[in-house]
Amino acid sequence: MLRYDLHCHSTRSDGLLAPAEVVRRAARRGVDVLALTDHDDTAGLDEAAAAAGEEGIAFLPGAELSVSWDDHTIHVVGLGLDASCAPLQAGLESVRRGRDARARRIADALAQAGIPGAWDGARRYVTSERLVSRTHFARFLVDAGYVREMKDVFARYLARGLPGYVEHAWATLGEAIGWIHAAGGVAVLAHPGRYRLGPDGMERLLAEFRDRGGDAIEVLSPSHSAAQVARFAALARTHGLAASTGSDYHGPGEGWIDLGDLPPLPGGSLPVWSRL
Ligand code: AMP
Ligand code: MN
Ligand code: MN
Ligand code: MN
């Protein structure tokens, strides 16, 4: 059975390893099919694809798109993208464009909360001029000693309702799915267990995602408990959606699991790769 990992990040967004390093690590860890899915950017895909060729593993070009849905931020992973697709690139650029101004507002909010210099601080961790993310602020806050580890940052500062969080309008769900489909890809609702929607909200999100042409949901994710894996496998089936799997790896020492550290999909799941 092939080992799939269809969600991870490189230095082209908020990961710690260069695209080729991500691929080499995945190959070393026994991944047979890897998708690189940087936030709102496809800039690392050529390097990753070349490295995958050298390593002899299969590679799927991907991206993780930021979406605002009904007052929530959700993520939609596109898999099997043709990165030369003009509507996709225009869409990604429009999403990235908002990030710099948002980062300024995050820095202002942190200053209000007694943390000066966060803009320059976060900039030191940015590895792509095209993309600044909350992760870069988080690394600054940890290394500057304001919190002990990454997850504490999001428990104390950068998540909704906390000082250091600012609202932001990302793409719409319909736009994100449309750009992914225009590029010949499949659209996967990323880590649904992370969204604080309540049962009704999740039902509405899944129905709208499917009605707008969404293809799959990420069933296996380090964000999910065993009970959530079972729940999302069942929800995928009842909504006619395929199931995906991804480590959401960001780099050594960060996150819960390493590249490829995923169990097989639950029995009865339709694998997303059957739709690629
Ligand atoms: P952004 O797209 O700029 O809003 O940044 C979101 C990123 O922050 C995610 O992709 C994760 O890498 C990181 N993140 C969000 N919540 C957490 C958390 N609770 N613990 C660790 N990292 C997180
Ligand atoms: Mn991230
Ligand atoms: Mn995500
Ligand atoms: Mn991710």
Side-chain angles (χ1 to χ4, degrees):
M1 209 159 82
L2 295 179
R3 187 182 289 250
Y4 290 80
D5 190 338
L6 304 181
H7 185 161
C8 66
H9 299 274
S10 78
T11 47
R12 294 313 185 113
S13 63
D14 61 350
L16 293 171
L17 302 179
E21 293 174 319
V22 174
V23 171
R24 285 197 286 269
R25 186 182 184 97
R28 208 163 59 234
R29 298 186 52 81
V31 173
D32 299 296
V33 184
L34 180 75
L36 179 66
T37 57
D38 275 313
H39 297 285
D40 305 321
D41 207 341
T42 60
L45 296 180
D46 286 349
E47 180 185 321
E54 286 166 17
E55 295 291 333
I57 68 170
F59 180 71
L60 283 171
E64 182 176 18
L65 278 60
S66 309
V67 165
S68 295
W69 180 81
D70 193 29
D71 210 27
H72 296 275
T73 296
I74 67 163
H75 288 169
V76 178
V77 163
L79 297 174
L81 301 174
D82 171 4
S84 71
C85 170
L88 172 69
Q89 288 305 334
L92 293 178
E93 205 199 320
S94 72
V95 176
R96 286 196 304 270
R97 219 169 11 239
R99 281 182 173 270
D100 283 323
R102 169 186 181 247
R104 297 268 180 198
R105 290 188 290 126
I106 292 174
D108 290 345
L110 288 170
Q112 292 283 317
I115 298 176
W119 167 257
D120 288 322
R123 294 280 313 165
R124 289 202 293 275
Y125 295 85
V126 169
T127 48
S128 164
E129 274 307 312
R130 293 151 65 104
L131 198 129
V132 53
S133 109
R134 279 185 294 165
T135 309
H136 303 114
F137 282 92
R139 293 188 183 128
F140 158 70
L141 290 169
V142 171
D143 290 346
Y146 288 102
V147 287
R148 225 152 50 106
E149 43 180 334
M150 293 287 282
K151 68 171 171 9
D152 302 332
V153 180
F154 290 91
R156 283 178 55 191
Y157 289 107
L158 297 180
R160 177 174 254 161
L162 301 172
Y165 182 82
V166 303
E167 296 292 338
H168 186 70
W170 303 105
T172 67
L173 186 57
E175 284 171 338
I177 295 171
W179 299 332
I180 289 167
H181 284 171
V186 300
V188 183
L189 182 65
H191 43 61
R194 282 210 349 213
Y195 312 132
R196 303 219 173 112
L197 300 172
D200 290 354
M202 183 57 72
E203 195 53 48
R204 272 197 307 120
L205 173 59
L206 290 175
E208 187 177 334
F209 180 74
R210 186 206 42 218
D211 291 348
R212 292 188 181 280
D215 301 282
I217 65 181
E218 211 168 60
V219 167
L220 289 174
S221 163
S223 301
H224 292 168
S225 66
Q228 285 175 317
V229 170
R231 174 170 171 239
F232 290 116
L235 283 169
R237 279 196 300 275
T238 55
H239 288 77
L241 294 162
S244 191
T245 178
S247 65
D248 209 355
Y249 183 74
H250 281 72
E254 286 193 9
W256 292 271
I257 64 172
D258 210 314
L259 289 161
D261 269 351
L262 296 149
L265 285 171
S269 300
L270 176 70
V272 68
W273 44 93
S274 71
R275 295 202 169 169
L276 284 161

